[in-house]
Amino acid sequence: MTELSNCRLCGLPNPRLPVREGEHAFCCYGCREVFRSFGDEALAVARERIPEPAAAPQGKTAYLWIDGMHCASCEFLIEKLAIGTRGIQAATASYATSTARVVYDPGLIQESELPAIMDRFGYRARLRDADAPEYDERQDLLRVLTGGCLA
């Protein structure tokens, strides 16, 4: 069954086989999880995302690369779940740059612990100054060869 509608949460086009939750179709697991976690509140926030001016939180700032973000709902999910973690005071994520800015209390949490915390949310995180993981191109080559042979 092909679904050509847009995501119920972020409005991006759904893939050929969207992620479903009841009668709702979502473009990614991030949108579905935001909807599951926050319900109709998330729909309102996703449609009207206006930042409120606030005092800058006190603490140390860390920047992370976040792999696996697909849309604004992923940003929302990362920010909300990170802020709910003891020791994290603020978080701002950007799927366009695949990064997150995290303000944390070094008395409660260490910078080296942040990637593992963000990984718990279903994304792959690493500190910005950490080396990128090795990418094994052999898997892509194997897929192409297998597809060619089977065609």
Side-chain angles (χ1 to χ4, degrees), residues 105-116:
D105 180 349
L108 298 174
I109 192 169
Q110 299 300 312
E111 183 179 45
S112 60
E113 296 174 275
L114 294 173

Side-chain angles (χ1 to χ4, degrees), residues 26-39:
F26 300 98
C27 65
C28 65
Y29 292 106
C31 285
R32 184 191 68 187
E33 291 307 312
V34 167
F35 183 77
R36 277 183 179 173
S37 299
F38 303 101

